[in-house]
């Protein structure tokens, strides 16, 4: 049987470009070469698409961009091409693709934009579709949907930074009325990797935090501060998804900011999470409920806060979670008898299943 050709896409115009490269190296190293042929497309930070054919080590460390045989290439939106268009000074070639495996985090990769191109191309792809990617990337939209579906979360309020700048007092009052007490968490609706997220302990800090968040997005979310454990659940599947054993992160910093996520080895993971069996079941149940309600497919990591008094609050859904060797998603799946290669194969199969069964 001919090997299926998988196009792994990494990098991208996103604040999570570097993490994506490390995730992609892990994913590529875990695609069984005897069954699949892998082609890799790197997207630079400025958004250039390059077909790259070197080592995964160079993807992880960033030196892939300098490879001399990189060629301009892009997924054609024309479904009759069903593949990559590769352009050199001399000619233009087509490489047929069976499945696209995006390993992109954050803007332009996890937010439905590139998924729109995949849809147009007609090529099966791993992960969530346009709507669920966009809904999960946008924190305000996620919270509104969770509220609609009755899934517990932190109290929140939101506004446009444009309106805030015109009458700041009105929106400060809105926050203080809705959330009642400090500290609060201020977030750009659409960012990722804790970029632009801050904890404000008083009104003065709130004003600063809004200014920081407003640099990332024109819609600002403010949430009640939750004192609890950060518990994460890996979900895999299409119409009948399964939820992993939940895991727990003990951040090294006051909260799980960018540094604690990627630079600080002191953040610890516990698998299973150190919570009661009953709370574990609530986490899994709510993870699956949110996944189905929002229309996720393929995979997502659903993140929660679990408080001492037993509240289980959904924080966010990551439709293309970190996939490095130290990341929670692959670790949780491995704990459920889905180690690296088995997981990448399952994801590829789920992408094909969506097209075959019109999921
Ligand atoms: N309402 C909240 N209460 C307490 N901590 C929070 C709250 N919201 C976010 N955090 C902390 O900030 C981190 C980043 O926020 P999150 O909403 O997960 O954004 P990102 O998409 O950047 O991961 C979380 O992992 C958590 O440590
Ligand atoms: Mg998060």
């Amino acid at each position: 049987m001919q090997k299926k050709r998988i196009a792994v896409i990494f990098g991208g115009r996103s604040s999570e470009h570097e993490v994506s490269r490390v995730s992609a190296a892990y994913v590529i190293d875990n695609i069984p070469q005897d069954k699949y042929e892998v082609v890799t497309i790197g997207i630079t930070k400025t958004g250039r698409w390059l077909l790259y054919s070197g080592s995964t080590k160079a993807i992880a460390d960033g030196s892939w961009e300098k490879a001399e045989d990189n060629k301009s290439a892009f997924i054609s939106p024309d479904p009759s091409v069903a593949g990559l268009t590769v352009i050199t000074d001399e000619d233009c070639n087509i490489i047929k693709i069976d499945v696209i495996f995006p390993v992109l985090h954050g803007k332009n990769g996890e937010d439905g934009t590139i998924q729109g191109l995949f849809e147009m191309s007609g090529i099966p792809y791993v992960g969530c579709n346009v709507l669920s990617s966009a809904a999960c990337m946008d924190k305000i939209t996620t919270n509104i949907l969770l509220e609609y579906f009755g899934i517990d979360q932190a109290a929140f309020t939101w506004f446009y930074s444009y309106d805030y700048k015109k009458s700041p007092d009105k929106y400060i009052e809105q926050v203080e009325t809705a959330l009642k007490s400090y500290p609060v968490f201020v977030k750009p609706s659409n960012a990722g990797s804790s970029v632009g997220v801050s904890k404000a302990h008083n009104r003065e800090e709130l004003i600063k935090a809004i200014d920081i968040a407003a640099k990332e997005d024109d819609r600002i979310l403010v949430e009640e501060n939750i004192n609890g454990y950060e518990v994460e659940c890996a979900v895999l599947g299409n119409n009948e998804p399964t939820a992993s054993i939940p895991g727990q992160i003990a951040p090294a910093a006051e909260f799980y900011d960018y540094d604690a996520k990627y630079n600080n080895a002191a953040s610890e993971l516990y698998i299973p999470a150190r919570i009661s069996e009953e709370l574990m079941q609530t986490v899994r149940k709510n993870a699956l409920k949110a996944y189905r309600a929002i229309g996720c497919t393929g995979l997502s990591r659903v993140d929660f806060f679990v408080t001492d008094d037993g509240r289980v609050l959904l924080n966010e859904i990551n439709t293309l979670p970190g996939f490095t060797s130290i990341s929670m998603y692959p670790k949780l799946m491995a704990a459920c008898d889905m180690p690296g290669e088995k997981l990448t194969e399952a994801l590829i199969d789920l992408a094909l299943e969506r097209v075959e069964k019109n999921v």
Side-chain angles (χ1 to χ4, degrees), residues 240-307:
E240 291 179 24
T242 54
S244 73
I245 300 164
Q248 181 180 340
I249 303 162
E254 187 178 0
F255 72 94
Y256 205 40
D257 60 8
Y258 189 89
D259 208 47
K261 274 178 183 163
Y262 304 115
N263 300 333
N264 199 329
S267 291
E268 282 183 70
L269 305 187
Y270 301 114
I271 299 172
R274 297 172 163 185
I275 55 174
S276 70
E277 187 53 36
E278 196 189 339
L279 290 172
M280 291 269 213
Q281 292 312 331
T282 309
V283 166
R284 297 174 86 164
K285 192 177 86 209
N286 287 5
L288 289 173
K289 188 173 175 189
Y291 188 90
R292 286 296 278 162
I294 298 183
C296 297
T297 49
L299 77 161
S300 285
R301 195 193 71 223
V302 189
D303 296 353
F304 294 84
F305 298 114
V306 176
T307 67

Side-chain angles (χ1 to χ4, degrees), residues 1 5 17 20 65 71 76 79 130 153 156 178 201 225 235 280 301 306 314-315 324 333 340 355 359:
M1 207 174 76
R5 193 177 287 138
H17 176 101
S20 152
E65 261 187 61
K71 297 183 183 73
S76 172
V130 174
Q153 61 184 319
F156 72 97
H201 299 81
N225 174 60
V235 180
M280 291 269 213
R301 195 193 71 223
V306 176
L314 202 153
N315 176 36
T324 72
M333 293 311 302
V355 177
V359 174

Side-chain angles (χ1 to χ4, degrees), residues 36-67:
Y36 304 98
E37 179 193 337
V38 176
V39 295
T40 50
I41 300 128
I43 305 178
T44 67
K45 267 197 151 175
T46 56
R48 283 198 65 203
W49 287 50
L50 298 168
L51 178 66
Y52 164 77
S53 54
S55 70
T56 49
K57 189 175 162 290
I59 293 178
D61 69 23
S63 58
W64 73 275
E65 261 187 61
K66 296 190 203 85

Side-chain angles (χ1 to χ4, degrees), residues 16 136-137 139 154-155 183-189 191-199 221-228 230 232 249 251 253-258 261-262 301 303 305 315-318:
E16 292 164 90
C136 292
M137 186 71 196
K139 294 182 191 301
V184 295
F185 260 82
V186 183
K187 311 177 185 182
S189 189
S193 263
S194 306
V195 176
V197 174
S198 6
K199 186 172 179 175
L221 171 66
V222 189
E223 288 180 355
E224 141 197 34
N225 174 60
I226 304 296
N227 278 319
E230 300 205 32
E232 305 187 342
I249 303 162
E254 187 178 0
F255 72 94
Y256 205 40
D257 60 8
Y258 189 89
K261 274 178 183 163
Y262 304 115
R301 195 193 71 223
D303 296 353
F305 298 114
N315 176 36
E316 61 161 347
I317 304 173
N318 292 284

